[in-house]
Amino acid sequence: MNNDNVAGKPILWMVIPCYNEEAVLPLSAPLFKKELDELIGSGRISEKSRILFVNDSSRDGTWGIIRALSEEDEHFIGISQSRNRGHQNAVLAGMMEAKDQCDMIISIDCDGQDDINAMTEMVDKYLDGAEIVYGVRSGRETDTFFKRFTAQSFYKILKSFGAEILTDHADYRLVSSEVLEAFSDFREVNLFLRGMFPLVGYRSERVYYKRNERMAGESHYPLKKMIRLAIDGITSFSVKPIRIITAIGFAASILGFIGIIWAIIAAVMNRTVAGWTSMVCIVCLLSGIQLLSLGVIGEYIGKIYMETKQRPRYIINDRTWEERKRKYKG
Ligand code: UDP
Ligand code: MG
């Protein structure tokens, strides 16, 4: 714990996930260091601030580069995961490592796509009392039409399904250690960090920035992984898809009922071949009941699913008989 820091300046840890980034790290690491130096130099943050690289079990020379950086300069530090777990888990590992060592973290990708200079504004908002500062893209000019369209549709669907999510905010954000402490009570395994932080609450702010092209190397988010993340996002925050099945089941039951009446009328009027009426009645009845039952069962599974997450049921961030926990008191 950094209790010795109570009267000093806040400690910042940058949390930077890296997976097979040997092409980009030598280019972006100096930029992170430059920003850190400027933040320290301007008196905003403590000299004890650090740049934490999280190696997501890269198969190339990434870990070697991180080790070399940490030997060169004490501001660079690194942790390495035992196997590749994906971007979200790498960010979580870094945040949990940093939680007790610093007053705030800023998570950012290592490829230089997110504007590193926006950190200054984020830290200023933290110093003004914000506990979470979301980095929001001011535009999507650098994206292809396809990416822009799918991203926008994704945010729209998620919002209409009831998830609290910020359009065009990915994982570039500042989070105070107090929020991280509360966040550590979110025990879910399928991570979709950008949807989880709004659930924590606390005072939040936004900083707008322009997103650039990757400095080098290739994206690790091909279409397949993007779809996976989108499905995780939707199913982790909403049981609406199950409700939709219930609604369809209900509608199918009504249609089935109408179908049955129609089949009986047709039979009475002798406009059918033998056996047709009973067939249609059975199909209509059963398909409606089946879908409806699926929905009902799904509703319970949805409840069980939400329960198994063991999310905290409340988070208290202030008490009248206690001083605010924020370690940094400026
Ligand atoms: N990343 C990771 N583990 C993975 C895939 C990616 O830690 O399995 C890191 C990667 O090194 C980068 C960040 O997550 O810092 C975002 O990945 P990328 O830039 O490839 O995604 P994009 O920006 O194209 O969506
Ligand atoms: Mg990227």
Side-chain angles (χ1 to χ4, degrees):
M1 289 293 241
N2 53 320
N3 291 335
D4 55 327
N5 195 47
V6 165
K9 289 177 180 139
I11 297 175
L12 162 73
W13 276 33
M14 296 181 192
V15 172
I16 309 173
C18 311
Y19 177 58
N20 294 349
E21 299 284 15
E22 63 181 7
V24 94
L25 259 187
L27 303 174
S28 60
L31 300 180
F32 291 123
K33 179 66 179 28
K34 185 164 161 272
E35 178 67 20
L36 192 80
D37 285 344
E38 278 171 17
L39 284 167
I40 294 172
S42 65
R44 286 179 172 88
I45 59 171
S46 159
E47 161 66 25
K48 291 183 202 151
S49 298
R50 294 287 178 265
I51 298 170
L52 171 69
F53 292 109
V54 183
N55 173 36
D56 194 10
S57 210
S58 304
R59 275 169 294 172
D60 65 359
T62 302
W63 184 233
I65 296 173
I66 295 172
R67 279 188 163 281
L69 283 169
S70 67
E71 269 161 36
E72 254 169 51
D73 189 324
E74 61 169 358
H75 289 105
F76 288 117
I77 51 176
I79 54 175
S80 188
Q81 296 215 87
S82 59
R83 55 159 291 175
N84 180 252
R85 293 297 307 272
H87 176 209
Q88 300 286 294
N89 293 69
V91 175
L92 178 74
M95 290 193 306
M96 289 303 117
E97 188 76 18
K99 175 167 77 76
D100 297 328
Q101 315 287 335
C102 63
D103 298 288
M104 67 182 122
I105 65 102
I106 295 181
S107 55
I108 182 169
D109 292 352
C110 74
D111 55 10
Q113 281 192 281
D114 301 320
D115 179 11
I116 298 172
N117 298 319
M119 285 190 191
T120 311
E121 211 183 318
M122 288 183 166
V123 171
D124 282 344
K125 300 225 161 165
Y126 168 86
L127 294 172
D128 280 347
E131 301 281 347
I132 304 181
V133 186
Y134 298 105
V136 179
R137 297 174 63 165
S138 53
R140 284 191 168 263
E141 297 86 18
T142 51
D143 278 359
T144 57
F145 170 77
F146 177 73
K147 175 104 191 204
R148 211 166 18 203
F149 175 75
T150 47
Q152 273 163 0
S153 318
F154 170 62
Y155 285 116
K156 270 199 198 124
I157 293 175
L158 251 184
K159 278 186 183 164
S160 70
F161 278 8
E164 257 181 76
I165 190 163
L166 230 72
T167 304
D168 287 341
H169 159 69
D171 284 300
Y172 186 18
R173 75 177 82 75
L174 180 150
V175 186
S176 76
S177 58
E178 186 180 342
V179 171
L180 286 179
E181 194 63 54
F183 187 77
S184 61
D185 284 337
F186 283 70
R187 303 238 165 252
E188 53 214 78
V189 179
N190 296 298
L191 294 175
F192 188 64
L193 298 174
R194 69 192 79 165
M196 291 162 72
F197 277 104
L199 294 180
V200 188
Y202 290 86
R203 192 179 140 193
S204 67
E205 294 279 350
R206 294 172 195 190
V207 163
Y208 291 88
Y209 70 95
K210 212 167 148 276
R211 192 162 149 111
N212 307 310
E213 304 278 357
R214 204 170 222 285
M215 291 174 110
E218 302 227 319
S219 167
H220 304 96
Y221 268 96
L223 188 62
K224 203 173 119 203
K225 268 201 195 169
M226 254 165 58
I227 293 174
R228 187 67 253 163
L229 185 72
I231 292 177
D232 265 353
I234 291 171
T235 52
S236 296
F237 285 90
S238 164
V239 287
K240 271 243 170 102
I242 295 174
R243 302 249 156 87
I244 292 174
I245 296 181
T246 315
I248 294 174
F250 193 65
S253 299
I254 292 175
L255 282 179
F257 187 66
I258 295 170
I260 290 170
I261 294 174
W262 166 63
I264 291 173
I265 292 174
V268 169
M269 294 171 81
N270 259 340
R271 293 219 183 126
T272 59
V273 290
W276 179 85
T277 311
S278 49
M279 279 293 292
V280 168
C281 287
I282 290 167
V283 169
C284 286
L285 188 74
L286 284 188
S287 54
I289 290 176
Q290 263 171 11
L291 262 183
L292 193 61
S293 320
L294 260 186
V296 173
I297 294 170
E299 190 68 28
Y300 286 102
I301 292 181
K303 293 255 153 41
I304 296 169
Y305 169 63
M306 284 305 192
E307 288 290 339
T308 53
K309 280 183 186 294
Q310 299 200 347
R311 281 179 182 165
R313 278 159 300 172
Y314 58 87
I315 294 168
I316 294 166
N317 77 339
D318 237 340
R319 290 185 171 86
T320 54
W321 66 91
E322 231 175 52
E323 267 219 65
R324 198 75 203 276
K325 219 170 64 193
R326 205 167 185 174
K327 286 178 222 151
Y328 163 71
K329 295 193 178 74

